[in-house]
Amino acid sequence: MAKTPETEHPQKAFGWAARDASGSLSPFNFSRRELGSEDVLIKILYCGVCHSDLHAAKNEWGFTNYPIVPGHEIVGLVTKTGSSVQKFQVGDQVGVGVIVGSCKTCDICQQDLENYCPKVISTYNSKDQDGTKTYGGYSDIVVVDQRFVLRFPDNLPADAGAPLLCAGITVYSPMKYYGMTEPGKHLGVAGLGGLGHVAVKLGKAFGLKVTVISTSPKKEVEAIDRLGADSFLLSSDPEKFKAAIGSMDYIIDTIAAVHPLAPLVSLLKINGKLITVGLPDKPLELPIFPLVLGRKLVGGSEIGGMKETQEMLEFCAKHNIAADIELIRMDQINSAMERLAKSDVRYRFVVDVANSLASP
């Protein structure tokens, strides 16, 4: 007889899960594995609500395996450690991001790029080493291999810092890899949402001139006065857009919806770089002529390895960078998802798990 999510492991757990493509989440009893020698048991305090959670809950990418407990921006406290764990002690404040496992032995893992490992294990909606399903941070506890647990700096707020574990590393990693950190250079940030607002803060910390590119005129005051951007470009204003052509060294494109790339490419200088980190559910059209004639580069990037994610957290702690959040209770998650789908959040929902997740 097949075991249920509630009985397949010895440790009882409780969270909120989506059970079908409606994406509606509701209370869910399941279980976590017993601690292995390298494992850490974490009591979850906060979990950010990423746009990926919405895509996955509604199966918009086509590979959701229901039931699904989303959440991969987790901050919590260590409550127990396996016999071989030396990195963490009971009581440590820690973070868990988008991945909870990899093969650890391939060339990619040896380069500290575990997120690109062919056998990477995602924090939720993935198959764990033992063949069972992984469940995410919309839950009370999680068990994670110590290699994939991060030290969460004491001077970072646990709630507003949680989104850095996905949104933060998603924009930090490409900025570092593609050399988009040279002080004085001009960075465009396309889209001012969960990713974009962190990209603005990181860009300013690196000493860049930052311009927010948006379709919403309402975001100009927020971009400049609240987030510290140097300027704002309304993409629907043809005169201002024309004046900005060829003015940017780099653009980080955080837009998660289908959108034209040609206008963004046109904003780049010769040798400019357009790096996409949003994940639209349909292919985007990319014009080749402007790339060839301007020696421009279009690239992508997906979070970062564990070493770089720890580096990002330390950088953010040093520069007082955290997300702008709206703290919600677990039972507000469905209305939060509806608002997220309409981009009605400034700029990241975070679930107050410890104070609002009560098992029935």
Side-chain angles (χ1 to χ4, degrees), residues 139-163:
S139 58
D140 53 357
I141 60 170
V142 65
V143 177
V144 184
D145 182 318
Q146 66 171 338
R147 176 165 175 163
F148 301 90
V149 179
L150 298 144
R151 291 199 170 280
F152 200 83
D154 291 337
N155 62 325
L156 267 181
D159 51 2

Side-chain angles (χ1 to χ4, degrees), residues 9 12 22 37 40 60 65 77 87 137 144 169 201 205 228-229 232 246 250 264-265 280 315 324 327 329 348:
H9 295 299
K12 291 190 180 300
S22 71
S37 61
V40 177
E60 291 175 347
N65 179 18
L77 296 174
K87 288 175 62 179
V144 184
I169 189 59
K201 295 182 180 188
F232 180 88
Y250 331 116
L264 296 177
V265 171
F315 181 88
D324 288 16
L327 198 62
R329 294 174 50 82
R348 202 68 149 189

